[in-house]
Amino acid sequence: MDRVKFRTQILNRHLHRPSLSSPSSSIEPSICLQYSPPELAETSQFDTRSMRELMDNHNFADRDWLYGLMIQNKLFCSKERGGKLFVSPDYNQSMEQQREMTMKRIGYLLDCGVFEGWLTGKGVESELRKFSFLEVIGMFDHSLAIKIGVHFFLWGGAVQFFGTKRHHEKWLKDTENYKVKGCFAMTELGHGSNVRGIETITTYDSNTGEFVINTPCESAQKYWIGGAANHATHTIVFSQLNIDGKNQGVHAFIAQIRDSDGNVCPNIRISDCGHKIGLNGVDNGRIWFDNVRIPRENLLNSVADVSLDGKYLSAITDPDQRFAAFLAPLTSGRVTIAAAAIYSSKISLAIAIRYSLTRRAFSVSPNGPEVLLLDYPSHQRRLLPLLAKTYAMSFAENYLKMLYVKRTPELIKTIHVVSSAFKATLTWHNMRTLQECREACGGQGLKTENRVGHLKSEYDVQSTFEGDNNVLMQQVSKALLAEYVAAKKRNKPFNGLGLDHMNKSCPVIPSKPTSSTLRSVEFQTNIFCLRERDLLNRFAAEVSQHQGQGESKEHALIVSYQLAEDLGRAFSDRAILQTILEAETTLSAGPLKNILGLLRSMYTLITLEEDAAFLRYGYLSTDTAAAVRKEVAKLCSELRPHALALVSSFGIPDAFLSPIAFNWVDANSWSSVQD
């Protein structure tokens, strides 16, 4: 039976109920649930296009072009469900098939000119175009984005930033064209976050003018190296450099690991890391080096070099500063991870909120109509605070991105601290959002085709790679402590990392704030600054106390980890608030500014409610905490009418969402099974 006839019969049965066999029977036929597009009932009170431009911030036309490019090609697994076309990876494929599809998609994007200028282009516009394309690619498939990111941002970025002209001329264009396929061998079995502790050893042979790379023990094997298992031809090797028996610290080298035919090179051993809980489209591998000889020119020498006769040369004499200079360019990874976290949060929220605007459950009166999920206050409380946080963090991610693309040597420290804080905060937020959206979609959230469930496993790794989130937060606090100590020692005002509020008098928080006070910029700024300054003072005092008892500074920092993590979150939350406030100030009075004000208040107050530090250290009284909770509930009801418009403002094409975001009845009908 074709689909038209089938639907005609269903409608006919609805219009002409069959007579009951027994007049006395109390059983009556009921009308089946029908899908009704939320657009019929929900209206937008602000310009969604303007909101999208405010959030995406740059390269709107480029993003839309790439969306279309992917939707139109069958490589991106387009499939019709419920009368709409959707694209998403086929996660039912084997690991090997997913890896093969990843490479085919890269080949297609390459042929379409997507990667043009990613390494050879110059200037802010070129970098922003690259970021926008990677964000779009990541919304389709995290594996595809990571595979591309490893090649361009890690391998290519290392050549670009660690190398000099000779490396640029030899490698960048071939990398951009995928004649060279690169990977990035930093992490080892025994060392991940502690890069200084890696055990791979490289020595210089002055007789031949070559470096010799060795894996001296099993814990030194390079581990989790994306691209290494199947496809990479070359890698950046991070290794201890030994010159005349003296360890000069960690340096980066280029080594070939496969020939042009894909054969593993001599003295190289490679093994697959195996199946993972997500990202199976990325071929993570392990690498061992057995006296691998490379030319002297393959040392990436922007920071240090070795002369032909074996002399170590560097303008930076201090090993700590030299190590910091090596790692400084790697912040791009944290920038892209933070962006990916926000865009995957947008996808899951768009799906879950659209579903909640069409799915009904229970009635509040006998024989009354069932209620839309999002009309339940409890459902609003689950999703709308996460929506507000995602908005606030979108502006934070834009700020970080612009900070990075307009970087100067003076901003390196700031970029490191902000990227560490935002990478941790945004990825933690993303994992919570994905989990809540999965649950909010009920059983439908378990289906791979509906995306929200599987996104959890695909994005789970974000909290680990490019730095464990807890370690990053401790790095943030360590940097803030250094600023604190320096300011006190110089007896000068704080200047940097947004700590200038420390120069002002301590904010006073009203004991019984009204609703308007809780929503005011002054209160919200003050409470966040109060928390940060107090925690910084406490952290400095605790570290100083431990040192006064004879403990080393390093040990004092370690045992003060609880304050360090609280301080890192305080810094991040305050910085995020500043970015949404800055976005508000660019707008003239009107609906767009009003809705941003609601989102900013929700972001701030839900943070006050969720972070125990506000009660733990006495920044809020229990009465004020109760008032905050009531205000969050009010904000939920005020944001409810804007829910559809807010997720529509993400600008994500329907095809990148999922069937339950639209006509989930038709998508699950018998006719869809037959199709």
Side-chain angles (χ1 to χ4, degrees):
M1 184 184 296
D2 65 51
R3 182 169 179 163
V4 174
K5 288 181 180 178
F6 177 79
R7 290 186 61 77
T8 301
Q9 289 188 13
I10 293 292
L11 290 172
N12 187 57
R13 285 201 296 270
H14 287 319
L15 295 172
H16 306 286
R17 298 186 181 186
S19 60
L20 298 176
S21 57
S22 170
S24 63
S25 172
S26 62
I27 300 175
E28 294 184 0
S30 61
I31 297 175
C32 291
L33 289 171
Q34 296 294 303
Y35 170 82
S36 178
E39 286 81 0
L40 297 179
E42 309 284 327
T43 58
S44 175
Q45 299 175 32
F46 61 90
D47 183 7
T48 56
R49 181 171 179 81
S50 296
M51 182 67 91
R52 186 237 170 146
E53 291 178 355
L54 194 63
M55 282 204 302
D56 272 348
N57 197 37
H58 61 89
N59 296 86
F60 318 112
D62 287 329
R63 293 173 193 267
D64 290 341
W65 171 74
L66 184 52
Y67 281 134
L69 204 65
M70 297 166 75
I71 292 169
Q72 294 165 17
N73 191 280
K74 291 189 180 297
L75 277 174
F76 295 87
C77 300
S78 56
K79 185 177 182 180
E80 185 179 330
R81 300 284 275 114
K84 292 184 75 70
L85 189 71
F86 297 98
V87 293
S88 66
D90 183 357
Y91 294 115
N92 292 315
Q93 291 182 322
S94 68
M95 181 178 73
E96 291 74 20
Q97 289 171 323
Q98 289 185 54
R99 292 176 177 182
E100 182 181 356
M101 285 302 298
T102 296
M103 289 306 295
K104 286 182 178 179
R105 289 167 184 146
I106 288 173
Y108 170 71
L109 297 175
L110 177 66
D111 291 342
C112 292
V114 171
F115 305 129
E116 185 178 344
W118 277 36
L119 290 172
T120 58
K122 305 292 182 184
V124 170
E125 289 305 314
S126 179
E127 288 210 62
L128 288 177
R129 179 177 176 270
K130 175 172 61 174
F131 277 124
S132 67
F133 281 167
L134 190 68
E135 288 157 10
V136 169
I137 290 166
M139 280 191 278
F140 168 75
D141 181 23
H142 198 207
S143 283
L144 182 59
I146 293 301
K147 181 83 169 176
I148 290 168
V150 167
H151 177 74
F152 282 102
F153 286 85
L154 294 183
W155 155 268
V159 173
Q160 202 170 35
F161 298 120
F162 296 151
T164 52
K165 183 179 179 181
R166 72 186 188 214
H167 304 107
H168 300 163
E169 292 175 347
K170 183 173 181 179
W171 302 102
L172 291 184
K173 190 64 178 177
D174 283 351
T175 297
E176 197 170 275
N177 294 333
Y178 270 90
K179 291 179 181 177
V180 165
K181 300 179 183 69
C183 64
F184 189 80
M186 175 182 279
T187 303
E188 296 179 355
L189 177 62
H191 292 89
S193 296
N194 182 16
V195 178
R196 277 191 168 178
I198 61 175
E199 298 172 290
T200 301
I201 296 174
T202 297
T203 56
Y204 181 67
D205 185 347
S206 56
N207 294 322
T208 62
E210 295 172 312
F211 288 105
V212 185
I213 307 174
N214 265 296
T215 302
C217 53
E218 286 296 352
S219 58
Q221 63 180 271
K222 294 297 181 180
Y223 211 101
W224 292 124
I225 312 306
N230 295 133
H231 304 125
T233 59
H234 293 73
T235 190
I236 302 294
V237 185
F238 280 80
S239 170
Q240 305 289 350
L241 175 58
N242 193 313
I243 300 291
D244 293 330
K246 182 179 180 181
N247 183 12
Q248 298 292 348
V250 176
H251 292 65
F253 305 83
I254 292 175
Q256 185 167 357
I257 59 175
R258 284 186 180 86
D259 62 25
S260 56
D261 295 323
N263 300 307
V264 176
C265 292
N267 301 329
I268 298 281
R269 290 176 286 151
I270 297 177
S271 178
D272 203 310
C273 285
H275 197 273
K276 308 181 289 290
I277 64 170
L279 288 182
N280 282 302
V282 178
D283 53 318
N284 293 92
R286 303 146 63 190
I287 310 174
W288 291 259
F289 301 90
D290 304 318
N291 290 314
V292 174
R293 289 182 171 268
I294 61 172
R296 183 177 66 92
E297 292 75 19
N298 282 20
L299 167 66
L300 295 175
N301 63 339
S302 65
V303 174
D305 206 347
V306 174
S307 66
L308 187 61
D309 61 352
K311 297 292 188 297
Y312 184 75
L313 310 168
S314 178
I316 306 174
T317 56
D318 184 271
D320 291 338
Q321 293 180 8
R322 197 160 62 230
F323 180 72
F326 270 121
L327 296 188
L330 300 180
T331 51
S332 66
R334 291 196 287 272
V335 176
T336 58
I337 292 167
I342 290 307
Y343 279 100
S344 58
S345 293
K346 289 178 180 178
I347 290 172
S348 60
L349 284 164
I351 294 169
I353 286 175
R354 288 191 67 94
Y355 185 56
S356 70
L357 288 168
T358 61
R359 181 73 153 87
R360 296 176 180 272
F362 304 105
S363 58
V364 294
S365 61
N367 301 317
E370 289 188 288
V371 179
L372 286 173
L373 294 183
L374 200 60
D375 284 338
Y376 285 104
S378 60
H379 209 78
Q380 295 170 15
R381 179 61 179 76
R382 296 174 72 177
L383 295 178
L384 298 184
L386 294 173
L387 179 62
K389 279 190 167 186
T390 299
Y391 262 82
M393 292 177 187
S394 291
F395 297 114
E397 187 269 322
N398 286 335
Y399 166 76
L400 173 60
K401 205 186 308 179
M402 297 308 295
L403 194 66
Y404 177 78
V405 299
K406 295 181 178 181
R407 60 193 177 277
T408 62
E410 294 75 26
L411 284 175
I412 286 177
K413 181 178 180 179
T414 299
I415 294 170
H416 169 70
V417 174
V418 175
S419 66
S420 297
F422 284 3
K423 183 266 181 183
T425 303
L426 273 57
T427 56
W428 272 327
H429 164 73
N430 181 42
M431 292 315 298
R432 182 184 169 193
T433 300
L434 292 172
Q435 177 64 30
E436 197 64 62
C437 287
R438 206 295 300 155
E439 293 183 29
C441 290
Q444 290 293 335
L446 296 176
K447 292 188 70 174
T448 306
E449 70 171 16
N450 289 329
R451 301 209 69 187
V452 290
H454 203 90
L455 285 174
K456 282 175 53 191
S457 57
E458 290 295 302
Y459 282 88
D460 189 85
V461 70
Q462 288 183 128
S463 62
T464 299
F465 61 22
E466 296 294 328
D468 175 271
N469 282 355
N470 288 285
V471 174
L472 289 178
M473 278 304 190
Q474 291 179 42
Q475 288 184 12
V476 170
S477 296
K478 187 176 178 181
L480 295 175
L481 178 62
E483 288 291 315
Y484 180 94
V485 171
K488 295 295 183 181
K489 186 177 292 185
R490 296 192 307 264
N491 197 26
K492 290 185 177 180
F494 287 88
N495 181 26
L497 300 181
L499 292 177
D500 50 298
H501 67 87
M502 298 280 292
N503 302 318
K504 303 173 185 176
S505 57
C506 186
V508 177
I509 306 302
S511 58
K512 295 183 179 180
T514 63
S515 175
S516 59
T517 299
L518 291 174
R519 297 189 186 200
S520 70
V521 171
E522 181 183 14
F523 168 81
Q524 293 168 11
T525 304
N526 281 348
I527 191 72
F528 273 20
C529 288
L530 173 63
R531 174 178 58 150
E532 185 180 23
R533 71 186 292 151
D534 180 66
L535 286 171
L536 181 50
N537 281 318
R538 288 173 183 266
F539 184 51
E542 185 167 306
V543 170
S544 178
Q545 180 183 7
H546 284 294
Q547 288 183 279
Q549 294 170 352
E551 298 176 16
S552 67
K553 181 180 179 181
E554 290 72 19
H555 187 261
L557 289 168
I558 289 172
V559 295
S560 303
Y561 73 95
Q562 289 179 315
L563 275 171
E565 291 176 6
D566 285 343
L567 175 58
R569 286 184 172 87
F571 168 84
S572 187
D573 292 342
R574 190 263 309 155
I576 291 169
L577 176 61
Q578 285 185 329
T579 64
I580 192 170
L581 279 171
E582 288 169 8
E584 274 189 80
T585 60
T586 65
L587 300 172
S588 55
L592 206 61
K593 193 180 186 77
N594 293 341
I595 193 68
L596 269 193
L598 287 178
L599 292 165
R600 182 244 309 148
S601 289
M602 176 65 92
Y603 163 73
T604 308
L605 297 185
I606 197 65
T607 302
L608 297 185
E609 183 181 333
E610 292 175 345
D611 190 346
F614 288 99
L615 283 172
R616 180 185 300 129
Y617 301 108
Y619 313 136
L620 291 179
S621 67
T622 53
D623 288 344
T624 303
V628 166
R629 193 174 199 193
K630 289 180 181 178
E631 203 63 33
V632 167
K634 289 182 188 177
L635 284 165
C636 282
S637 64
E638 291 175 41
L639 284 171
R640 160 63 184 88
H642 305 287
L644 181 63
L646 286 168
V647 296
S648 297
S649 298
F650 292 156
I652 304 171
D654 293 355
F656 274 63
L657 299 180
S658 72
I660 58 165
F662 302 97
N663 194 335
W664 45 271
V665 177
D666 270 6
N668 288 281
S669 67
W670 178 252
S671 58
S672 72
V673 176
Q674 302 308 296
D675 292 341

